[in-house]
PDB file of all heavy atoms in Angstrom:
ATOM      1  N   ALA H   1       0.845  -1.227  -0.007  1.00 90.00           N
ATOM      2  CA  ALA H   1       0.008   0.006  -0.017  1.00 90.00           C
ATOM      3  C   ALA H   1       0.852   1.238  -0.002  1.00 90.00           C
ATOM      4  O   ALA H   1       0.333   2.373  -0.343  1.00 90.00           O
ATOM      5  CB  ALA H   1      -0.978   0.009   1.195  1.00 90.00           C
ATOM      6  N   CYS H   2       2.127   1.142   0.351  1.00 91.00           N
ATOM      7  CA  CYS H   2       2.998   2.273   0.381  1.00 91.00           C
ATOM      8  C   CYS H   2       3.521   2.668  -1.001  1.00 91.00           C
ATOM      9  O   CYS H   2       4.204   3.711  -1.149  1.00 91.00           O
ATOM     10  CB  CYS H   2       4.151   2.048   1.337  1.00 91.00           C
ATOM     11  SG  CYS H   2       3.678   1.780   3.039  1.00 91.00           S
ATOM     12  N   TYR H   3       3.226   1.878  -2.033  1.00 91.00           N
ATOM     13  CA  TYR H   3       3.814   2.100  -3.348  1.00 91.00           C
ATOM     14  C   TYR H   3       2.764   2.198  -4.429  1.00 91.00           C
ATOM     15  O   TYR H   3       1.604   1.724  -4.227  1.00 91.00           O
ATOM     16  CB  TYR H   3       4.723   0.885  -3.700  1.00 91.00           C
ATOM     17  CG  TYR H   3       5.918   0.753  -2.881  1.00 91.00           C
ATOM     18  CD1 TYR H   3       6.013  -0.206  -1.813  1.00 91.00           C
ATOM     19  CD2 TYR H   3       7.052   1.509  -3.095  1.00 91.00           C
ATOM     20  CE1 TYR H   3       7.144  -0.365  -1.035  1.00 91.00           C
ATOM     21  CE2 TYR H   3       8.213   1.392  -2.305  1.00 91.00           C
ATOM     22  CZ  TYR H   3       8.250   0.461  -1.304  1.00 91.00           C
ATOM     23  OH  TYR H   3       9.353   0.348  -0.478  1.00 91.00           O
ATOM     24  N   PRO H   4       3.094   2.806  -5.503  1.00 90.00           N
ATOM     25  CA  PRO H   4       2.257   2.798  -6.704  1.00 90.00           C
ATOM     26  C   PRO H   4       2.059   1.406  -7.202  1.00 90.00           C
ATOM     27  O   PRO H   4       2.834   0.493  -6.861  1.00 90.00           O
ATOM     28  CB  PRO H   4       2.983   3.708  -7.722  1.00 90.00           C
ATOM     29  CG  PRO H   4       4.007   4.446  -6.915  1.00 90.00           C
ATOM     30  CD  PRO H   4       4.321   3.603  -5.771  1.00 90.00           C
ATOM     31  N   GLU H   5       1.078   1.202  -8.096  1.00 88.00           N
ATOM     32  CA  GLU H   5       0.752  -0.129  -8.613  1.00 88.00           C
ATOM     33  C   GLU H   5       1.972  -0.790  -9.231  1.00 88.00           C
ATOM     34  O   GLU H   5       2.154  -2.031  -9.003  1.00 88.00           O
ATOM     35  CB  GLU H   5      -0.370  -0.039  -9.599  1.00 88.00           C
ATOM     36  CG  GLU H   5      -0.847  -1.363 -10.201  1.00 88.00           C
ATOM     37  CD  GLU H   5      -1.273  -2.344  -9.110  1.00 88.00           C
ATOM     38  OE1 GLU H   5      -1.875  -1.883  -8.126  1.00 88.00           O
ATOM     39  OE2 GLU H   5      -0.982  -3.538  -9.268  1.00 88.00           O
ATOM     40  N   GLU H   6       2.758  -0.053  -9.974  1.00 86.00           N
ATOM     41  CA  GLU H   6       3.932  -0.680 -10.647  1.00 86.00           C
ATOM     42  C   GLU H   6       4.897  -1.272  -9.682  1.00 86.00           C
ATOM     43  O   GLU H   6       5.398  -2.356  -9.824  1.00 86.00           O
ATOM     44  CB  GLU H   6       4.632   0.385 -11.529  1.00 86.00           C
ATOM     45  CG  GLU H   6       5.858  -0.137 -12.237  1.00 86.00           C
ATOM     46  CD  GLU H   6       6.600   0.961 -13.022  1.00 86.00           C
ATOM     47  OE1 GLU H   6       6.011   2.064 -13.158  1.00 86.00           O
ATOM     48  OE2 GLU H   6       7.719   0.727 -13.430  1.00 86.00           O
ATOM     49  N   ASN H   7       5.138  -0.522  -8.584  1.00 91.00           N
ATOM     50  CA  ASN H   7       6.041  -0.993  -7.507  1.00 91.00           C
ATOM     51  C   ASN H   7       5.434  -2.168  -6.747  1.00 91.00           C
ATOM     52  O   ASN H   7       6.165  -2.977  -6.239  1.00 91.00           O
ATOM     53  CB  ASN H   7       6.429   0.111  -6.613  1.00 91.00           C
ATOM     54  CG  ASN H   7       7.180   1.258  -7.339  1.00 91.00           C
ATOM     55  OD1 ASN H   7       6.771   2.392  -7.304  1.00 91.00           O
ATOM     56  ND2 ASN H   7       8.314   0.900  -8.072  1.00 91.00           N
ATOM     57  N   ARG H   8       4.136  -2.206  -6.623  1.00 90.00           N
ATOM     58  CA  ARG H   8       3.481  -3.267  -5.920  1.00 90.00           C
ATOM     59  C   ARG H   8       3.772  -4.570  -6.624  1.00 90.00           C
ATOM     60  O   ARG H   8       3.996  -5.648  -5.964  1.00 90.00           O
ATOM     61  CB  ARG H   8       1.971  -3.069  -5.849  1.00 90.00           C
ATOM     62  CG  ARG H   8       1.600  -1.869  -4.909  1.00 90.00           C
ATOM     63  CD  ARG H   8       0.095  -1.667  -5.023  1.00 90.00           C
ATOM     64  NE  ARG H   8      -0.221  -0.363  -4.404  1.00 90.00           N
ATOM     65  CZ  ARG H   8      -1.447   0.142  -4.366  1.00 90.00           C
ATOM     66  NH1 ARG H   8      -2.472  -0.571  -4.906  1.00 90.00           N
ATOM     67  NH2 ARG H   8      -1.705   1.309  -3.774  1.00 90.00           N
ATOM     68  N   ARG H   9       3.773  -4.559  -7.994  1.00 91.00           N
ATOM     69  CA  ARG H   9       4.079  -5.757  -8.762  1.00 91.00           C
ATOM     70  C   ARG H   9       5.500  -6.188  -8.504  1.00 91.00           C
ATOM     71  O   ARG H   9       5.770  -7.373  -8.414  1.00 91.00           O
ATOM     72  CB  ARG H   9       3.834  -5.463 -10.229  1.00 91.00           C
ATOM     73  CG  ARG H   9       2.345  -5.371 -10.619  1.00 91.00           C
ATOM     74  CD  ARG H   9       2.181  -5.519 -12.131  1.00 91.00           C
ATOM     75  NE  ARG H   9       2.835  -4.439 -12.884  1.00 91.00           N
ATOM     76  CZ  ARG H   9       2.279  -3.260 -13.143  1.00 91.00           C
ATOM     77  NH1 ARG H   9       0.984  -3.007 -12.768  1.00 91.00           N
ATOM     78  NH2 ARG H   9       2.920  -2.326 -13.841  1.00 91.00           N
ATOM     79  N   GLU H  10       6.411  -5.199  -8.363  1.00 91.00           N
ATOM     80  CA  GLU H  10       7.814  -5.502  -8.081  1.00 91.00           C
ATOM     81  C   GLU H  10       7.973  -6.165  -6.702  1.00 91.00           C
ATOM     82  O   GLU H  10       8.818  -7.065  -6.596  1.00 91.00           O
ATOM     83  CB  GLU H  10       8.680  -4.225  -8.173  1.00 91.00           C
ATOM     84  CG  GLU H  10       8.902  -3.723  -9.575  1.00 91.00           C
ATOM     85  CD  GLU H  10       9.829  -2.531  -9.594  1.00 91.00           C
ATOM     86  OE1 GLU H  10       9.647  -1.595  -8.764  1.00 91.00           O
ATOM     87  OE2 GLU H  10      10.726  -2.481 -10.426  1.00 91.00           O
ATOM     88  N   LEU H  11       7.170  -5.728  -5.780  1.00 91.00           N
ATOM     89  CA  LEU H  11       7.244  -6.297  -4.429  1.00 91.00           C
ATOM     90  C   LEU H  11       6.804  -7.788  -4.457  1.00 91.00           C
ATOM     91  O   LEU H  11       7.506  -8.658  -3.871  1.00 91.00           O
ATOM     92  CB  LEU H  11       6.414  -5.508  -3.445  1.00 91.00           C
ATOM     93  CG  LEU H  11       6.276  -6.093  -2.037  1.00 91.00           C
ATOM     94  CD1 LEU H  11       7.644  -6.161  -1.360  1.00 91.00           C
ATOM     95  CD2 LEU H  11       5.309  -5.232  -1.137  1.00 91.00           C
ATOM     96  N   ARG H  12       5.747  -8.047  -5.178  1.00 89.00           N
ATOM     97  CA  ARG H  12       5.265  -9.379  -5.252  1.00 89.00           C
ATOM     98  C   ARG H  12       6.240 -10.284  -6.011  1.00 89.00           C
ATOM     99  O   ARG H  12       6.544 -11.436  -5.673  1.00 89.00           O
ATOM    100  CB  ARG H  12       3.896  -9.438  -5.948  1.00 89.00           C
ATOM    101  CG  ARG H  12       2.746  -8.913  -5.085  1.00 89.00           C
ATOM    102  CD  ARG H  12       1.382  -9.185  -5.699  1.00 89.00           C
ATOM    103  NE  ARG H  12       1.126  -8.399  -6.823  1.00 89.00           N
ATOM    104  CZ  ARG H  12       0.573  -7.153  -6.773  1.00 89.00           C
ATOM    105  NH1 ARG H  12       0.184  -6.658  -5.643  1.00 89.00           N
ATOM    106  NH2 ARG H  12       0.345  -6.449  -7.892  1.00 89.00           N
ATOM    107  N   GLU H  13       6.855  -9.675  -7.081  1.00 92.00           N
ATOM    108  CA  GLU H  13       7.889 -10.361  -7.780  1.00 92.00           C
ATOM    109  C   GLU H  13       9.127 -10.676  -6.965  1.00 92.00           C
ATOM    110  O   GLU H  13       9.724 -11.759  -7.048  1.00 92.00           O
ATOM    111  CB  GLU H  13       8.268  -9.550  -9.061  1.00 92.00           C
ATOM    112  CG  GLU H  13       9.200 -10.263 -10.019  1.00 92.00           C
ATOM    113  CD  GLU H  13       9.620  -9.413 -11.219  1.00 92.00           C
ATOM    114  OE1 GLU H  13       9.007  -8.344 -11.408  1.00 92.00           O
ATOM    115  OE2 GLU H  13      10.487  -9.831 -11.974  1.00 92.00           O
ATOM    116  N   ALA H  14       9.536  -9.729  -6.132  1.00 91.00           N
ATOM    117  CA  ALA H  14      10.665  -9.920  -5.202  1.00 91.00           C
ATOM    118  C   ALA H  14      10.407 -11.092  -4.256  1.00 91.00           C
ATOM    119  O   ALA H  14      11.299 -11.906  -4.000  1.00 91.00           O
ATOM    120  CB  ALA H  14      10.952  -8.624  -4.440  1.00 91.00           C
ATOM    121  N   PHE H  15       9.228 -11.139  -3.721  1.00 88.00           N
ATOM    122  CA  PHE H  15       8.876 -12.199  -2.769  1.00 88.00           C
ATOM    123  C   PHE H  15       8.900 -13.566  -3.490  1.00 88.00           C
ATOM    124  O   PHE H  15       9.367 -14.524  -2.881  1.00 88.00           O
ATOM    125  CB  PHE H  15       7.505 -11.912  -2.172  1.00 88.00           C
ATOM    126  CG  PHE H  15       7.225 -12.851  -0.966  1.00 88.00           C
ATOM    127  CD1 PHE H  15       7.737 -12.542   0.283  1.00 88.00           C
ATOM    128  CD2 PHE H  15       6.441 -13.970  -1.101  1.00 88.00           C
ATOM    129  CE1 PHE H  15       7.484 -13.401   1.357  1.00 88.00           C
ATOM    130  CE2 PHE H  15       6.169 -14.786  -0.044  1.00 88.00           C
ATOM    131  CZ  PHE H  15       6.676 -14.496   1.192  1.00 88.00           C
ATOM    132  N   ARG H  16       8.318 -13.610  -4.677  1.00 89.00           N
ATOM    133  CA  ARG H  16       8.309 -14.868  -5.434  1.00 89.00           C
ATOM    134  C   ARG H  16       9.727 -15.364  -5.770  1.00 89.00           C
ATOM    135  O   ARG H  16      10.041 -16.476  -5.666  1.00 89.00           O
ATOM    136  CB  ARG H  16       7.431 -14.717  -6.691  1.00 89.00           C
ATOM    137  CG  ARG H  16       5.956 -14.754  -6.450  1.00 89.00           C
ATOM    138  CD  ARG H  16       5.205 -14.956  -7.781  1.00 89.00           C
ATOM    139  NE  ARG H  16       5.496 -13.882  -8.739  1.00 89.00           N
ATOM    140  CZ  ARG H  16       4.770 -12.804  -8.806  1.00 89.00           C
ATOM    141  NH1 ARG H  16       3.739 -12.603  -8.011  1.00 89.00           N
ATOM    142  NH2 ARG H  16       5.011 -11.847  -9.701  1.00 89.00           N
ATOM    143  N   ALA H  17      10.564 -14.421  -6.121  1.00 92.00           N
ATOM    144  CA  ALA H  17      11.954 -14.712  -6.446  1.00 92.00           C
ATOM    145  C   ALA H  17      12.675 -15.254  -5.230  1.00 92.00           C
ATOM    146  O   ALA H  17      13.435 -16.228  -5.321  1.00 92.00           O
ATOM    147  CB  ALA H  17      12.715 -13.462  -6.957  1.00 92.00           C
ATOM    148  N   ALA H  18      12.404 -14.682  -4.059  1.00 89.00           N
ATOM    149  CA  ALA H  18      13.020 -15.154  -2.823  1.00 89.00           C
ATOM    150  C   ALA H  18      12.493 -16.583  -2.493  1.00 89.00           C
ATOM    151  O   ALA H  18      13.328 -17.431  -2.120  1.00 89.00           O
ATOM    152  CB  ALA H  18      12.684 -14.213  -1.649  1.00 89.00           C
ATOM    153  N   GLU H  19      11.235 -16.803  -2.693  1.00 87.00           N
ATOM    154  CA  GLU H  19      10.650 -18.152  -2.493  1.00 87.00           C
ATOM    155  C   GLU H  19      11.337 -19.192  -3.377  1.00 87.00           C
ATOM    156  O   GLU H  19      11.572 -20.325  -2.999  1.00 87.00           O
ATOM    157  CB  GLU H  19       9.195 -18.152  -2.734  1.00 87.00           C
ATOM    158  CG  GLU H  19       8.310 -17.638  -1.621  1.00 87.00           C
ATOM    159  CD  GLU H  19       6.879 -17.872  -1.840  1.00 87.00           C
ATOM    160  OE1 GLU H  19       6.275 -17.364  -2.797  1.00 87.00           O
ATOM    161  OE2 GLU H  19       6.291 -18.654  -1.026  1.00 87.00           O
ATOM    162  N   ASP H  20      11.628 -18.757  -4.580  1.00 90.00           N
ATOM    163  CA  ASP H  20      12.213 -19.666  -5.602  1.00 90.00           C
ATOM    164  C   ASP H  20      13.723 -19.844  -5.438  1.00 90.00           C
ATOM    165  O   ASP H  20      14.357 -20.611  -6.146  1.00 90.00           O
ATOM    166  CB  ASP H  20      11.967 -19.174  -7.015  1.00 90.00           C
ATOM    167  CG  ASP H  20      10.441 -19.244  -7.388  1.00 90.00           C
ATOM    168  OD1 ASP H  20       9.742 -20.056  -6.733  1.00 90.00           O
ATOM    169  OD2 ASP H  20      10.039 -18.521  -8.260  1.00 90.00           O
ATOM    170  N   GLY H  21      14.293 -19.096  -4.506  1.00 90.00           N
ATOM    171  CA  GLY H  21      15.716 -19.163  -4.241  1.00 90.00           C
ATOM    172  C   GLY H  21      16.596 -18.283  -5.112  1.00 90.00           C
ATOM    173  O   GLY H  21      17.808 -18.388  -5.090  1.00 90.00           O
ATOM    174  N   ASP H  22      15.957 -17.394  -5.832  1.00 94.00           N
ATOM    175  CA  ASP H  22      16.690 -16.465  -6.716  1.00 94.00           C
ATOM    176  C   ASP H  22      16.946 -15.201  -5.833  1.00 94.00           C
ATOM    177  O   ASP H  22      16.306 -14.136  -5.994  1.00 94.00           O
ATOM    178  CB  ASP H  22      15.943 -16.112  -7.932  1.00 94.00           C
ATOM    179  CG  ASP H  22      16.780 -15.333  -8.928  1.00 94.00           C
ATOM    180  OD1 ASP H  22      17.869 -14.879  -8.581  1.00 94.00           O
ATOM    181  OD2 ASP H  22      16.324 -15.182 -10.100  1.00 94.00           O
ATOM    182  N   TYR H  23      17.858 -15.325  -4.891  1.00 93.00           N
ATOM    183  CA  TYR H  23      18.049 -14.260  -3.865  1.00 93.00           C
ATOM    184  C   TYR H  23      18.643 -12.990  -4.469  1.00 93.00           C
ATOM    185  O   TYR H  23      18.365 -11.866  -4.026  1.00 93.00           O
ATOM    186  CB  TYR H  23      18.867 -14.761  -2.702  1.00 93.00           C
ATOM    187  CG  TYR H  23      18.251 -15.972  -1.995  1.00 93.00           C
ATOM    188  CD1 TYR H  23      19.022 -17.088  -1.801  1.00 93.00           C
ATOM    189  CD2 TYR H  23      16.903 -15.963  -1.569  1.00 93.00           C
ATOM    190  CE1 TYR H  23      18.431 -18.208  -1.133  1.00 93.00           C
ATOM    191  CE2 TYR H  23      16.387 -17.048  -0.962  1.00 93.00           C
ATOM    192  CZ  TYR H  23      17.119 -18.194  -0.743  1.00 93.00           C
ATOM    193  OH  TYR H  23      16.569 -19.248  -0.139  1.00 93.00           O
ATOM    194  N   GLU H  24      19.478 -13.187  -5.472  1.00 95.00           N
ATOM    195  CA  GLU H  24      20.128 -11.997  -6.082  1.00 95.00           C
ATOM    196  C   GLU H  24      19.066 -11.095  -6.760  1.00 95.00           C
ATOM    197  O   GLU H  24      19.063  -9.903  -6.591  1.00 95.00           O
ATOM    198  CB  GLU H  24      21.141 -12.481  -7.149  1.00 95.00           C
ATOM    199  CG  GLU H  24      21.966 -11.313  -7.749  1.00 95.00           C
ATOM    200  CD  GLU H  24      23.042 -11.768  -8.658  1.00 95.00           C
ATOM    201  OE1 GLU H  24      23.373 -12.980  -8.607  1.00 95.00           O
ATOM    202  OE2 GLU H  24      23.622 -10.950  -9.357  1.00 95.00           O
ATOM    203  N   LYS H  25      18.128 -11.760  -7.471  1.00 95.00           N
ATOM    204  CA  LYS H  25      17.071 -10.989  -8.114  1.00 95.00           C
ATOM    205  C   LYS H  25      16.167 -10.300  -7.089  1.00 95.00           C
ATOM    206  O   LYS H  25      15.820  -9.149  -7.184  1.00 95.00           O
ATOM    207  CB  LYS H  25      16.251 -11.916  -9.049  1.00 95.00           C
ATOM    208  CG  LYS H  25      15.085 -11.218  -9.660  1.00 95.00           C
ATOM    209  CD  LYS H  25      14.262 -12.170 -10.530  1.00 95.00           C
ATOM    210  CE  LYS H  25      13.043 -11.479 -11.194  1.00 95.00           C
ATOM    211  NZ  LYS H  25      12.235 -12.448 -11.980  1.00 95.00           N
ATOM    212  N   ALA H  26      15.825 -11.128  -6.028  1.00 93.00           N
ATOM    213  CA  ALA H  26      14.944 -10.617  -5.003  1.00 93.00           C
ATOM    214  C   ALA H  26      15.548  -9.386  -4.312  1.00 93.00           C
ATOM    215  O   ALA H  26      14.872  -8.404  -4.013  1.00 93.00           O
ATOM    216  CB  ALA H  26      14.656 -11.668  -3.965  1.00 93.00           C
ATOM    217  N   ALA H  27      16.867  -9.469  -3.958  1.00 95.00           N
ATOM    218  CA  ALA H  27      17.571  -8.403  -3.299  1.00 95.00           C
ATOM    219  C   ALA H  27      17.568  -7.151  -4.188  1.00 95.00           C
ATOM    220  O   ALA H  27      17.417  -6.037  -3.721  1.00 95.00           O
ATOM    221  CB  ALA H  27      18.967  -8.824  -2.916  1.00 95.00           C
ATOM    222  N   GLY H  28      17.849  -7.339  -5.464  1.00 95.00           N
ATOM    223  CA  GLY H  28      17.917  -6.224  -6.392  1.00 95.00           C
ATOM    224  C   GLY H  28      16.538  -5.490  -6.475  1.00 95.00           C
ATOM    225  O   GLY H  28      16.486  -4.254  -6.472  1.00 95.00           O
ATOM    226  N   LEU H  29      15.490  -6.209  -6.511  1.00 94.00           N
ATOM    227  CA  LEU H  29      14.119  -5.628  -6.603  1.00 94.00           C
ATOM    228  C   LEU H  29      13.809  -4.897  -5.328  1.00 94.00           C
ATOM    229  O   LEU H  29      13.252  -3.802  -5.351  1.00 94.00           O
ATOM    230  CB  LEU H  29      13.055  -6.706  -6.818  1.00 94.00           C
ATOM    231  CG  LEU H  29      13.073  -7.323  -8.228  1.00 94.00           C
ATOM    232  CD1 LEU H  29      12.173  -8.584  -8.297  1.00 94.00           C
ATOM    233  CD2 LEU H  29      12.489  -6.255  -9.261  1.00 94.00           C
TER     234      LEU H  29
END
């Protein structure tokens, strides 16, 4: 809720990447 819609998608993408073990991508996001 603290971000615009575009950034909200990035947050969800960061969490999914972390779940999948792609920590580099998650940290970057």
Side-chain angles (χ1 to χ4, degrees):
C2 298
Y3 292 102
E5 181 59 37
E6 180 183 349
N7 297 125
R8 294 175 191 177
R9 289 195 297 271
E10 285 185 316
L11 176 60
R12 289 190 288 270
E13 187 180 351
F15 191 82
R16 285 195 298 270
E19 280 191 297
D20 293 337
D22 191 349
Y23 301 128
E24 187 174 348
K25 178 182 178 181
L29 287 166

